[in-house]
Amino acid sequence: MAIVTTKEMFAKAYAGGYAVGAFNVNNMEIIQGITEAAGELKAPVILQVSKGARAYANHNYLVKLVQAAAEENPEIPIALHLDHGDSFELCKSCIDGGFTSVMIDASSKPYEENIALTRKVVEYAHDHGVVVEAELGTLAGVEDEVSVDADKAMYTHPEEVVDFATRTGCDSLAIAIGTSHGAFKFKPGTKPQLRFDVLEECSKQLPNFPIVLHGASSVPQEFVAMINEFGGNMPGAIGIPEEQLRQAARSAVCKINIDSDIRLAMTASIRKYFMEHPDHFDPRQYLKPARQAVKDMVHHKIVDVLGCDGKA
Ligand code: G3H
Ligand code: 13P
Ligand code: ZN
């Protein structure tokens, strides 16, 4: 199957009560780990590229690697998505350069500016057969070097979503219900709790409309423990409980974004490898188990959190 948009994926996910995983990709091993898991499980998958990923790996390399992954896994739909596009020019460059979906994240701008910029991206994207994710509300955490304190984060106002979706024409909407970017989402000792009431109200206002959750890594404690055991220092890294993500996946949430868990899986694996093999220096030796760790983590998410196995 060629690289597709998220249109049909989301319609099926909404109707089927599951979510599609959107995993951030930065290199070949990450793309292989994710798509091998999705391919074996016959699961649809979204590979997303941030502005930072594009600066690190180069647009062309990432597009070609994703095209190779699609050829290697012809039986599953794969979408190529721009994560947190921050300008019309960046979105246009990805639309012109082979992406099937873009996010314009103008959520930090005043409401009317968010609408105007999102509308402009939607018009260009739709003219080129590309779908658009927009965002209303502000998540806490670190995203592309911008850090938002938890007390400055704002839940999405459900009374705004119809006006926003209608006036922008966006195809999916990221909302803020208490998720947060990065590996340190909550202060140790606090009890993470997503605002399902806000999610429910937003989806009631926008029936049949795909909702997106950013900042949805669960920060598996076995990875944090491994990192700390093998020379790292990440005390108090905490994520979203997986039962809450599973509950969200059964609702109008059709896309769940995961990046930090990929980073943790790779870092834990590589740290362990070096401690156990201090004399090794061939990158293939330590990237092979790191790629397998990404694959195992994604396998678990697809089956136990997203519920999208067998839905390709
Ligand atoms: O939400 C942001 C993603 O985790 C991407 O992170 O900008 O460091 O690539 P990045
Ligand atoms: P995490 O930091 O929770 O993995 O969130 C990733 C994300 O939202 C990418 O847009
Ligand atoms: Zn995000």
Side-chain angles (χ1 to χ4, degrees):
M1 196 178 292
I3 298 171
V4 298
T5 77
T6 53
K7 198 116 206 138
E8 193 184 331
M9 280 184 196
F10 287 169
K12 285 170 75 178
Y14 197 101
Y18 61 88
V20 180
F23 300 96
N24 285 70
V25 299
N26 289 278
N27 64 18
M28 181 185 76
E29 285 77 10
I30 295 174
I31 292 171
Q32 289 175 331
I34 296 164
T35 53
E36 280 175 21
E40 283 175 21
L41 290 165
K42 303 275 177 285
V45 73
I46 299 165
L47 301 179
Q48 53 186 15
V49 170
S50 69
K51 185 179 173 180
R54 221 164 156 259
Y56 169 75
N58 171 313
H59 176 100
N60 208 16
Y61 278 96
L62 290 172
V63 171
K64 295 283 193 311
L65 285 168
V66 171
Q67 282 168 351
E71 280 171 32
E72 292 295 320
N73 296 278
E75 66 295 337
I76 58 164
I78 299 178
L80 175 55
H81 173 76
L82 169 66
D83 190 27
H84 293 286
D86 62 354
S87 67
F88 174 78
E89 290 70 28
L90 174 56
C91 291
K92 180 179 182 301
S93 171
C94 289
I95 293 163
D96 295 345
F99 283 45
T100 55
S101 173
V102 294
M103 174 189 195
I104 176 67
D105 180 1
S107 60
S108 60
K109 297 185 189 301
Y111 183 71
E112 288 298 329
E113 280 179 45
N114 187 352
I115 289 190
L117 180 52
T118 302
R119 177 77 222 156
K120 186 174 172 189
V121 171
V122 166
E123 277 168 9
Y124 189 81
H126 286 182
D127 280 350
H128 293 79
V130 168
V131 293
V132 178
E133 173 186 325
E135 180 166 329
L136 252 188
T138 315
L139 270 70
V142 183
E143 140 194 333
D144 246 333
E145 293 151 28
V146 179
S147 173
V148 179
D149 291 340
D151 53 358
K152 299 223 174 57
M154 269 183 328
Y155 297 118
T156 302
H157 301 304
E159 64 277 15
E160 289 178 347
V161 297
V162 173
D163 181 63
F164 185 84
T166 313
R167 288 171 61 200
T168 60
C170 65
D171 301 278
S172 60
L173 183 65
I175 61 169
I177 60 164
T179 58
S180 156
H181 287 107
F184 298 88
K185 300 187 190 300
F186 305 101
K187 292 203 173 70
T190 55
K191 198 165 162 279
Q193 181 56 57
L194 298 184
R195 288 287 303 273
F196 284 101
D197 56 327
V198 175
L199 169 58
E200 208 174 300
E201 197 47 46
C202 289
S203 44
K204 218 187 271 171
Q205 298 290 328
L206 281 178
N208 288 314
F209 198 85
I211 302 289
V212 177
L213 282 193
H214 280 249
S217 277
S218 60
V219 187
Q221 290 303 297
E222 66 266 30
F223 297 151
V224 177
M226 255 170 90
I227 288 170
N228 290 337
E229 180 184 348
F230 295 109
N233 183 26
M234 296 187 69
I238 299 176
I240 315 288
E242 289 193 337
E243 319 78 70
Q244 293 186 32
L245 295 167
R246 185 75 198 93
Q247 187 181 337
R250 287 197 189 92
S251 74
V253 171
C254 295
K255 173 175 182 270
I256 289 189
N257 285 10
I258 295 168
D259 186 10
S260 298
D261 288 352
I262 294 172
R263 299 176 182 198
L264 291 164
M266 288 197 97
T267 301
S269 164
I270 290 170
R271 280 196 176 280
K272 180 169 187 282
Y273 190 89
F274 278 136
M275 284 296 220
E276 290 173 350
H277 307 89
D279 55 328
H280 285 190
F281 64 97
D282 180 340
R284 292 172 298 188
Q285 291 173 316
Y286 56 85
L287 289 175
K288 193 173 171 185
R291 177 174 61 192
Q292 183 66 40
V294 171
K295 180 176 174 180
D296 293 345
M297 186 277 293
V298 171
H299 187 288
H300 161 67
K301 296 284 178 185
I302 287 173
V303 173
D304 301 315
V305 178
L306 303 157
C308 62
D309 46 315
K311 308 294 187 187

